[in-house]
Amino acid sequence: MHVGILGGGQLARMMAEAGGPLGLRFSFLDPAADACAGELGSLHVGPWDDAEAGRALAACDRITCDFENVPAAVLAELAGKTTVRPPPAAFAAGQDRLREKELLQRLDIPVAPVAAVSSRPELLAAVEQIGLPAVLKTRRLGYDGKGQEVLTSNEDLEPAWQRLGDRELILEGWIDFDHEFALTAVRAADGEIRFYPLSRTVHRNGVLRLAAVMVDPPAVLQQAAKAALTRLLEALDYVGCLTLEMFATAAGLIANEFAPRPHNSAHWTIEGAVTSQFENHLRAVCDLPLGSTRPRGVSLMFNWLGALPDRSAWLRVPGLAWHDYHKQPRPGRKVGHATVVGEHIEGLHQSLERIRPLLDADTMRLLADSGLEAGA
Ligand code: AMP
């Protein structure tokens, strides 16, 4: 079976790594000639609506995405010619933060207070309604904290408007969360849903830096997250992996956003679950039986941003798995990750003793925020 992937970044690369053993072949479309998945299949370089690449992809048995901002019209056109999964409607909803929040609200999934902003008077009215602190975000094409301004006082309004005001925006109330977490599930075309364990996520400046399997999460939180994600998957008649990112607050969960593709918060599933999110995404997309989402222990993943740290120091940590995405270093760019899996929390703590001397002060603080260290 031949799978076409829109986007040739690290998610496409890891899908191809997972799909090869299943007998799948891959083609990618990416605007960048050095897209890192290109080594693992045939890469078409061009814009998303490239006519020739479109014809080549339409000949694939399945189309899926590694990038959620592929224009919905491109997906809709391909869907008329071959099987596109997840469904284009999931992308259309996820690409616009306002539509995304409205969909979550309709499904009774709690979200932050939100208002559309497209002019200075609307910004003032939204601040009046929602209060400060708040976050001004672009409705479209925002990811990894890009296109966001935190507003803490009235003095922040004009500079933020100067930076973002040329686009359609939303103002979102600031959530005073206890921690952030994410839930990934895979849904098959026949409606079967399997959940991975909750991942605790630690962000800085809007970018995911650490993800860890949550050990004994409160049952109420887990149930609420599963129920919310089930409603979302069913409403979208979704096929593939989907991740819902959430805030845990004293009043329960508040959903932030969803990603209609494999997600960074579940990269640990490659070594830390019986079947990885990448393999299960492809199994669902290709109508193959779903694999077990059972964790193999307690996993922790570090994201490498900008450049990879010294590989030979990290590889001394027993059982550590290294993922170099084969991308050129660039400030802030996701270039790789490392995962460590402990059979039990005690085993993970032993690995952390080996890892701690390798961490800079910034990453030490991330680890302290991961919730894994209590009792270490
Ligand atoms: P987003 O691009 O919406 O996923 O936001 C990236 C990160 O910014 C989140 O994971 C949070 O760490 C932070 N963030 C975004 N929106 C809010 C909010 N309304 N309240 C508090 N933190 C937020």
Side-chain angles (χ1 to χ4, degrees), residues 97 101 112 135 137 142-146 148 172-177 180 203 205-207 245 247 256-257:
R97 287 187 192 276
K101 291 263 169 10
V135 203
K137 300 182 178 180
Y143 65 100
D144 283 349
K146 294 183 174 70
Q148 294 194 16
E172 232 183 76
W174 185 257
I175 303 298
D176 190 15
F177 54 79
E180 295 185 73
H203 294 78
N205 303 320
V207 183
E245 293 190 272
F247 304 114
N256 181 26
E257 59 179 2

Side-chain angles (χ1 to χ4, degrees), residues 98 101 105 110-117 123 126-137 148-152 170-177 247 249 254-256:
L98 187 63
K101 291 263 169 10
Q105 275 170 333
V111 293
V114 64
V117 170
L123 175 58
V127 169
E128 183 80 8
Q129 178 198 330
I130 288 171
L132 295 178
V135 203
L136 193 61
K137 300 182 178 180
Q148 294 194 16
E149 297 283 337
V150 178
L151 310 179
T152 52
I170 58 166
L171 187 74
E172 232 183 76
W174 185 257
I175 303 298
D176 190 15
F177 54 79
F247 304 114
T249 74
I254 293 183
N256 181 26

Side-chain angles (χ1 to χ4, degrees), residues 23-109:
L24 305 177
R25 288 189 304 120
F26 293 89
S27 290
F28 312 97
L29 170 61
D30 198 285
D34 64 350
C36 70
E39 294 169 4
L40 301 175
S42 77
L43 173 65
H44 303 271
V45 180
W48 301 116
D49 58 356
D50 186 276
E52 199 185 315
R55 274 191 293 279
L57 289 173
C60 292
D61 303 293
R62 299 284 188 277
I63 295 291
T64 192
C65 291
D66 110 319
F67 180 61
E68 69 216 48
N69 287 314
V70 173
V74 169
L75 288 167
E77 192 173 334
L78 281 166
K81 297 173 180 153
T82 183
T83 305
V84 176
R85 289 172 171 169
F91 291 86
Q95 284 172 358
D96 177 340
R97 287 187 192 276
L98 187 63
R99 283 186 65 182
E100 184 178 24
K101 291 263 169 10
E102 286 170 350
L103 171 63
L104 294 170
Q105 275 170 333
R106 271 203 305 283
L107 295 171
D108 257 339
I109 301 172

Side-chain angles (χ1 to χ4, degrees), residues 307-318:
L308 293 165
D310 177 13
R311 182 178 55 191
S312 44
W314 279 83
L315 290 178
R316 289 205 179 86
V317 178

Side-chain angles (χ1 to χ4, degrees), residues 11-22:
L11 301 179
R13 184 181 172 94
M14 289 186 271
M15 279 191 240
E17 285 170 346
L22 295 176

